Amino acid sequence: MVFTDIVFYVLSAILLFSGIRVITTRNPVHAALFLVLAFFTAAGIWLLLEAEFLAIALILVYVGAVMVLFLFVVMMLDINLDKLREGFWEYLPMAGFIGVLMVVEMTMVLADKNLRPSAAVELPANYSNTAALGKVLYTDYLLPFELAAVVLLVAMIAAIVLTLRERKDNKSMNPADQVKVKRSDRIRIVSMPAVVEAPAPSAEEKK
């Protein structure tokens, strides 16, 4: 067993542990932190597989943006943990059955191709996995890539629409009304006579 195999097994064990802790921990902030650890560990495994672009993209996009935003949202919201735990054990058998079924399906699909031993592939010195990934993505998988982009665009528009829906307690301004406003609608000049107060009498005048 070479050093690379030892690193792979260590990272795999950490990834499994952090993934299990994401769904078993009771504190949502701790779950988010364990998910960050899972992303970092998966990036390390991709580096072992010489997929540097995917590893950097995972750290920058998911850990650097999505997970940080999710963590701040979880910390800012007033989450009732007792209410979240209600019904957990009631739905656990069905959830476990579905999870095991999904694992069996993925194993049956991927076992024939990926579990058989294969010879190591010798790559040239000037090989770039980023260029190879881009070539495959925009040729063989162009249609799924465009469909995923459309789904993400629809999700982004839906998020904006949900935040802009009219509510009774929502205080918002209409930009069109702000542009149409005139000075006479906001400012009124009133002419008022000046009032001059008499000076206070000095001490000598009081005597």
Side-chain angles (χ1 to χ4, degrees):
M1 181 179 292
V2 295
F3 177 74
T4 306
D5 297 335
I6 298 175
V7 175
F8 173 78
Y9 287 120
V10 171
L11 293 179
S12 300
I14 297 175
L15 181 59
L16 289 176
F17 170 75
S18 57
I20 293 174
R21 289 299 296 164
V22 168
I23 61 176
T24 56
T25 184
R26 297 183 177 182
N27 194 325
V29 178
H30 294 171
L33 293 176
F34 276 114
L35 190 56
V36 171
L37 176 61
F39 285 150
F40 267 103
T41 310
I45 294 177
W46 279 349
L47 286 175
L48 291 178
L49 298 176
E50 298 181 357
E52 296 86 1
F53 175 76
L54 294 177
I56 297 301
L58 179 63
I59 294 177
L60 293 180
V61 176
Y62 285 93
V63 178
V66 178
M67 278 310 305
V68 173
L69 178 62
F70 177 73
L71 185 59
F72 273 102
V73 170
V74 169
M75 295 176 65
M76 291 174 62
L77 293 178
D78 186 13
I79 300 177
N80 190 354
L81 299 179
D82 295 332
K83 187 175 181 180
L84 290 178
R85 299 192 193 104
E86 293 180 358
F88 175 79
W89 297 107
E90 181 181 355
Y91 298 104
L92 182 61
M94 180 58 67
F97 171 74
I98 295 176
V100 172
L101 184 61
M102 292 173 61
V103 172
V104 171
E105 291 178 352
M106 295 303 296
T107 303
M108 294 175 60
V109 171
L110 301 176
D112 182 58
K113 182 184 298 185
N114 297 325
L115 295 183
R116 290 181 299 178
S118 58
V121 179
E122 295 292 337
L123 301 176
N126 59 350
Y127 176 78
S128 174
N129 55 49
T130 305
L133 177 63
K135 183 178 179 180
V136 174
L137 184 63
Y138 291 105
T139 54
D140 298 338
Y141 297 95
L142 180 60
L143 181 60
F145 178 77
E146 292 181 350
L147 291 177
V150 172
V151 171
L152 291 176
L153 178 61
V154 172
M156 182 172 61
I157 295 175
I160 296 174
V161 171
L162 290 176
T163 56
L164 294 180
R165 59 182 179 179
E166 295 183 359
R167 296 181 300 181
K168 295 181 180 180
D169 57 345
N170 186 21
K171 296 181 180 180
S172 60
M173 294 180 293
N174 190 354
D177 295 338
Q178 291 180 328
V179 173
K180 295 178 182 179
V181 71
K182 298 180 181 180
R183 185 182 63 178
S184 58
D185 299 334
R186 295 294 181 90
I187 301 176
R188 186 179 62 176
I189 301 176
V190 179
S191 179
M192 299 180 62
V195 178
V196 180
E197 296 182 357
S202 61
E204 296 179 356
E205 293 179 354
K206 289 182 179 180
K207 291 180 180 179

